[in-house]
Amino acid sequence: MKKRTFLHLAALSAAALATSHAIAQDNTFKIGLILPMTGQQATTGRQIEAAARLYMAQNGDTVAGKKIQLIIKDDTSLPDATRRLAQELVVNDKVNVLAGFGITPSALATAPIATQSKTPMVVMAAATSSITQASPYVVRSSFTLPQVSVALADWAPKNGIKKVITLVSDYGPGIDAEKYFKDRLTFNGGQVTEALRVPLRNPDFAPFLQKVRDGKPDALFVFVPSGAGAAVMKQFLERGLDKAGIKLIATGDVTDDDQLNDMGDGALGVVTSHHYSAAHPSALNKKFVEAFGKANKGLRPNFMAVGGYDGMRVIYEALKTTRGQGGGDALLAAMKGQLFESPRGKIFIDAQTRDIVQDVYLRKVEKKDGQLYNVEFDVIKDVKDPGKAK
Ligand code: PHB
């Protein structure tokens, strides 16, 4: 071979390589999933990762000609780490979508990055009302605390509960739960006699529960984030608050399906309001719970898992609608207004607020086939986040 021909060929194949590399990159759709995989919120990360992987296993990893790549990062639920990881995912990995966000401070720390880079940010867990207002690129597939707290404040006074002490984790979602529960209970003729707040990190519930015992309310209303419910339940029972005639009522974060079955029979009868129960009696949910358990050594999906599963669907559908051609703005537009049946029931991404509209259920802890479940006994249909109604 003449030297010139060889060089020419070499140049050609280098160009071909470069082109195929560009195509490979072009044909990849990257989802940067930032989750707390370790630390206090680790169960949230475990549940959402399992749900995202299940969604991909069931729906394939190629959408509109693009290969979906899931890049999972552990932020240990520290917002500075979330922000740094989001920055790296956007700048270095050039992700098409940011997703995950186990707690509110992590979501709020990332919102400016989503805005600056015009990257859709799918919030699958965090649930403070104001998160969707922190960036026009936020879309939420989880829930909000005002959305689920109000139903319980309507139920309580009709069921002999007039005087309530509230106990919440002292940050965004807890403050939302406290305010919306109290306002609605007061409107309904009830009364919050004391509002207690416990630190988010390493809370010691004992001194607060002693105060509750001394205050003799009809009920104690609790919000703590997913993963902390079992500790509250244990201490509530150990201090004999149930025997003192104080009822425990809570958002479903407390009787979290990830932990509920290990809480013991002391949890029986606890009434909560929430958007998802593993015992939700729909055909779609039965399939979801079964497939999730099968893929994860019998693990029961909780409300975090369903937020992750539905968030993946929102992303997949947006990619299909834009035929794999659009940038961040096109994807965002295709996420707004989506309506579909989730394992929790029918859900809708409100195009105006980018927040989720969904049914909220009243549930009671009961034993079914020897296991503890949140059994739904009433439903409020199509609930918007009351935090947006101002
Ligand atoms: C939140 O930080 O927004 C959050 C975390 C866990 C929950 C609910 C809300 O269960």
Side-chain angles (χ1 to χ4, degrees):
M1 212 192 301
K2 277 193 189 139
K3 201 174 172 196
R4 258 183 70 185
T5 320
F6 175 77
L7 280 176
H8 185 64
L9 277 175
L12 261 183
S13 63
L17 256 180
T19 316
S20 74
H21 184 64
I23 289 171
Q25 270 199 337
D26 242 359
N27 274 344
T28 310
F29 185 89
K30 294 181 183 171
I31 304 171
L33 189 57
I34 311 179
L35 293 169
M37 300 306 302
T38 53
Q40 200 173 293
Q41 252 63 43
T43 56
T44 294
R46 177 179 63 162
Q47 288 272 351
I48 293 181
E49 176 181 3
R53 293 205 187 283
L54 177 64
Y55 190 86
M56 291 181 70
Q58 291 175 331
N59 295 278
D61 63 359
T62 306
V63 180
K66 301 261 180 184
K67 179 107 172 138
I68 309 281
Q69 189 186 345
L70 200 58
I71 307 176
I72 299 184
K73 300 282 179 188
D74 177 13
D75 68 359
T76 70
S77 85
L78 293 174
D80 284 345
T82 322
R83 187 193 299 111
R84 178 178 51 75
L85 291 167
Q87 185 91 35
E88 287 170 10
L89 284 165
V90 165
V91 175
N92 302 342
D93 297 295
K94 307 204 171 4
V95 295
N96 301 87
V97 174
L98 289 164
F101 311 104
I103 59 168
T104 290
S106 294
L108 292 177
T110 305
I113 294 169
T115 306
Q116 282 155 23
S117 62
K118 300 185 188 296
T119 307
M121 171 175 162
V122 178
V123 175
M124 296 171 160
T128 300
S129 174
S130 64
I131 291 171
T132 44
Q133 282 139 327
S135 165
Y137 287 86
V138 168
V139 169
R140 176 153 38 201
S141 63
S142 54
F143 71 109
T144 80
L145 265 304
Q147 188 175 46
V148 298
S149 301
V150 162
L152 200 57
D154 282 337
W155 175 86
K158 290 187 228 147
N159 289 275
I161 296 169
K162 292 267 155 78
K163 209 177 119 182
V164 178
I165 293 182
T166 59
L167 174 68
V168 302
S169 292
D170 191 5
Y171 77 120
I175 290 159
D176 269 0
E178 179 192 280
K179 175 179 169 21
Y180 282 84
F181 179 84
K182 180 183 175 178
D183 286 357
R184 183 65 77 105
L185 187 76
T186 310
F187 176 80
N188 287 331
Q191 192 190 359
V192 169
T193 53
E194 229 179 319
L196 306 171
R197 296 179 181 177
V198 294
L200 171 62
R201 309 269 171 206
N202 308 310
D204 175 12
F205 298 109
F208 295 98
L209 291 174
Q210 191 54 47
K211 271 195 171 178
V212 175
R213 209 190 149 125
D214 297 342
K216 296 191 174 61
D218 299 323
L220 168 67
F221 166 81
V222 180
F223 163 80
V224 291
S226 184
V232 175
M233 187 70 76
K234 184 164 178 276
Q235 300 241 358
F236 182 86
L237 298 171
E238 273 176 12
R239 310 213 138 237
L241 272 75
D242 55 333
K243 301 217 171 56
I246 300 168
K247 290 205 170 64
L248 177 62
I249 57 175
T251 63
D253 308 74
V254 175
T255 55
D256 186 344
D257 272 304
D258 188 81
Q259 297 186 320
L260 176 61
N261 204 31
D262 297 323
M263 290 186 195
D265 287 356
L268 284 168
V270 171
V271 171
T272 57
S273 54
H274 228 207
H275 56 292
Y276 178 68
S277 164
H280 179 63
S282 72
L284 185 66
N285 186 51
K286 283 189 182 131
K287 265 175 62 185
F288 172 64
V289 173
E290 197 182 302
F292 190 93
K294 216 172 192 177
N296 298 283
K297 301 192 180 104
L299 184 67
R300 193 194 282 187
N302 71 357
F303 61 98
M304 293 302 188
V306 88
Y309 192 74
D310 292 341
M312 287 298 285
R313 175 162 178 163
V314 167
I315 297 168
Y316 266 52
E317 291 303 317
L319 185 53
K320 278 186 207 165
T321 305
T322 55
R323 298 199 178 88
Q325 302 302 312
D329 283 310
L331 283 169
L332 180 75
M335 289 177 183
K336 294 179 186 176
Q338 284 192 27
L339 186 151
F340 58 87
E341 193 196 345
S342 147
R344 63 186 113 174
K346 195 184 74 191
I347 66 169
F348 170 54
I349 305 294
D350 186 325
Q352 242 74 56
T353 61
R354 292 161 281 101
D355 219 335
I356 188 164
V357 179
Q358 60 192 331
D359 295 348
V360 171
Y361 306 88
L362 286 159
R363 313 97 50 84
K364 185 185 267 181
V365 178
E366 289 176 12
K367 215 168 224 181
K368 269 183 28 179
D369 307 325
Q371 299 204 24
L372 297 178
Y373 280 100
N374 294 296
V375 176
E376 296 166 359
F377 64 86
D378 203 359
V379 58
I380 301 98
K381 301 292 278 182
D382 301 326
V383 182
K384 281 191 173 195
D385 172 30
K388 306 288 188 306
K390 283 169 250 143

